Amino acid sequence: MAYTYGTDEWEQAYRELVERRLAETEKPYILGTPEWVDTYEKLVQEDAPYKEAAKSWEGSVVIHILARPEYGLERDIYMFMDLWHGDCRFIRLVPPEAGEKGDFILTGELERWEAVMSGELDVVKAMMQGKIKLKGHLPTIVRAVKAATRLVELAGQIGTRYISQLSEAEIESLKNLLATSGAQFGI
Amino acid sequence: MPDKISFAEGAEETALAAMLAEIIESNLENGGSRVKAFRNLRSAVHINAADAGVEITLEFKKGHLTVHAGKPLPPAISIEAESATLLELTNLKIKGGLPFFFDETGRGVVKKLLRGELKIKGLLRHPLELVRLTKVLSVA
C-alpha cells in the first residue's frame, strides 16, 4: 500500500517500518536506512553540546545523498532534520518533493557523504571545495557552523556500514529495501 | 555608483569564491556599517583555505568587488588558514565598529593567530583595511 507523505497513516506506517527494522537488523546499520536514521535522531536529541551550539537555530536541514546505482543506491536519499532552538523534533527519510522543501539542503555524492560521516573529510572543507553544495541562506548556516559541525560529528559516532563497502548480497538487500520503501513511502 | 560584486573568469566555479561573495552580498543587502566598509575597501585580499587546497583573491575597489580564483594579482592582505578557521573569521562580532575579540569566537581567533594556525600578512601595514574586511565578511 502506498502512503501519502504528511498524513497520519504515513507517519504510523513509517514508525512501524523503523521499529521492525530495528528489531530485525543487526548492527552496524547501513548508512541512510530507516534504522540508521532513527539511531541518528536519538543521538542528536540527547546530545548536550549540540543543544548548546544550536540554541538559536531555526529551520530544517536536509542531507541529500545523490543516487549511486552501482552500489545499489538507485534513488537519491533525503534525510530531513526538523531542528528548532537546540531541539531535534525528528530526523527521517522523506520523499524528494518534501526534501526539496527543506530550509537548508546539503547535497553531495555518496562517497563524499561517507567521507564526511566517517571523519575523513571535514564538512566545511567539503563545502569550500564544492564537494558538498548548500542550497539555502549561507550566512545563516555559517553563523551556526558549530551546530552544523556537531551534527556531522554525531553522524560519525554511529557504527555505520558504508554503502560503498557493501557485499553483493547486501547491495541486493539494499535495493529491495529501497524498492519497497519507495513504493510505500516515496522515500 | 551601486555596490557591485562580479566574478573574474572561472572564479564562480570555485566554491569558496561563491560562498564569500554570497556572504558579502547578503551583508550589503542588510545595509549599515558594512556597506560603508565595503565602499571604503580598496585592496586585494588573498584568501587561502590551505587544507582544502583552494585560494581566491578578493579585489576591492571602492564599492566594487571582483572575485578571482587563485592569486592573479599581488595582494595587500593575505590570509591563510584551515577552512573551519576561515569560517570562524566570518563569525567575529563587530562592536563599536571594531572586531570583538573578547567572546569565545574572538578568543579562538586570537589563539589561532598566536599559534600560527591563522596567518595574516598585511596585518600591521593595513590594519584599517583588515577591519573593513572583517566587517564586510562578518555574519555575526
Side-chain angles (χ1 to χ4, degrees):
Chain A
M1 176 182 173
Y3 300 98
T4 305
Y5 182 74
T7 62
D8 290 344
E9 291 76 21
W10 191 99
E11 291 282 334
Q12 193 181 335
Y14 180 83
R15 197 62 238 160
E16 285 167 9
L17 170 75
V18 171
E19 295 302 334
R20 194 170 61 247
R21 290 193 60 85
L22 283 169
E24 291 172 355
T25 315
E26 278 185 30
K27 288 182 180 176
Y29 301 136
I30 295 171
L31 173 69
T33 54
E35 57 275 20
W36 188 94
V37 174
D38 187 72
T39 308
Y40 185 34
E41 180 191 75
K42 288 190 174 72
L43 259 182
V44 177
Q45 285 173 338
E46 291 165 6
D47 189 65
Y50 168 73
K51 283 181 191 294
E52 175 62 25
K55 60 188 174 190
S56 59
W57 178 263
E58 295 178 354
S60 55
V61 177
V62 176
I63 291 179
H64 176 202
I65 305 175
L66 295 167
R68 198 82 154 85
E70 52 273 50
Y71 293 131
L73 190 62
E74 294 183 324
R75 286 197 311 280
D76 291 8
I77 290 178
Y78 289 86
M79 222 181 286
F80 193 104
M81 302 192 253
D82 188 348
L83 309 168
W84 191 263
H85 289 259
D87 282 335
C88 170
R89 291 162 165 168
F90 66 78
I91 304 178
R92 68 172 63 123
L93 297 169
V94 298
E97 58 275 19
E100 290 295 342
K101 286 181 186 157
D103 298 312
F104 300 91
I105 305 169
L106 291 155
T107 301
E109 291 174 0
L110 173 67
E111 287 91 333
R112 307 296 194 207
W113 277 118
E114 290 190 344
V116 165
M117 289 177 182
S118 65
E120 284 171 35
L121 176 62
D122 177 81
V123 68
V124 175
K125 180 173 150 182
M127 285 175 66
M128 287 190 179
Q129 290 175 324
K131 291 176 178 172
I132 300 285
K133 292 189 166 62
L134 171 74
K135 192 171 152 190
H137 189 244
L138 179 66
T140 301
I141 211 156
V142 167
R143 270 194 290 273
V145 69
K146 281 185 185 162
T149 306
R150 184 63 188 160
L151 281 176
V152 174
E153 281 172 6
L154 289 171
Q157 289 180 12
I158 305 170
T160 301
R161 289 278 290 137
Y162 291 105
I163 295 172
S164 64
Q165 296 165 0
L166 297 180
S167 66
E168 290 293 323
E170 287 170 320
I171 288 175
E172 279 311 306
S173 166
L174 180 64
K175 281 182 181 174
N176 288 337
L177 169 65
L178 288 172
T180 312
S181 57
Q184 285 190 310
F185 300 98
I187 56 179
Chain B
M1 189 176 87
D3 303 312
K4 193 178 165 190
I5 299 175
S6 58
F7 290 91
E9 199 180 334
E12 210 163 357
E13 286 80 56
T14 306
L16 173 61
M19 285 171 76
L20 292 185
E22 189 179 336
I23 286 171
I24 294 170
E25 193 171 22
S26 171
N27 279 341
L28 294 179
E29 282 167 9
N30 291 337
S33 66
R34 290 178 173 94
V35 175
K36 193 178 166 194
F38 180 79
R39 289 175 183 163
N40 285 328
L41 266 165
R42 57 195 75 190
S43 300
V45 180
H46 175 241
I47 297 177
N48 183 8
D51 60 331
V54 181
E55 53 181 330
I56 63 163
T57 301
L58 305 174
E59 184 187 9
F60 293 95
K61 270 187 193 166
K62 296 166 108 179
H64 189 174
L65 165 62
T66 307
V67 185
H68 302 266
K71 192 181 176 183
L73 61 158
I77 297 169
S78 192
I79 301 171
E80 183 183 324
E82 290 198 346
S83 316
T85 304
L86 290 177
L87 274 204
E88 274 178 53
L89 283 179
T90 67
N91 269 301
L92 274 176
K93 287 193 174 73
I94 306 296
K95 286 196 176 177
L98 294 168
F100 186 69
F101 293 104
F102 301 101
D103 61 0
E104 194 188 343
T105 306
R107 284 193 295 270
V109 167
V110 172
K111 266 186 200 168
K112 286 184 176 174
L113 258 176
L114 295 174
R115 287 180 190 153
E117 294 168 15
L118 167 63
K119 293 173 188 158
I120 303 180
K121 286 182 191 163
L123 177 69
L124 299 176
R125 289 180 66 186
H126 305 282
L128 275 178
E129 285 290 86
L130 197 57
V131 168
R132 291 179 187 127
L133 176 73
T134 310
K135 279 186 188 177
V136 301
L137 286 175
S138 171
V139 298

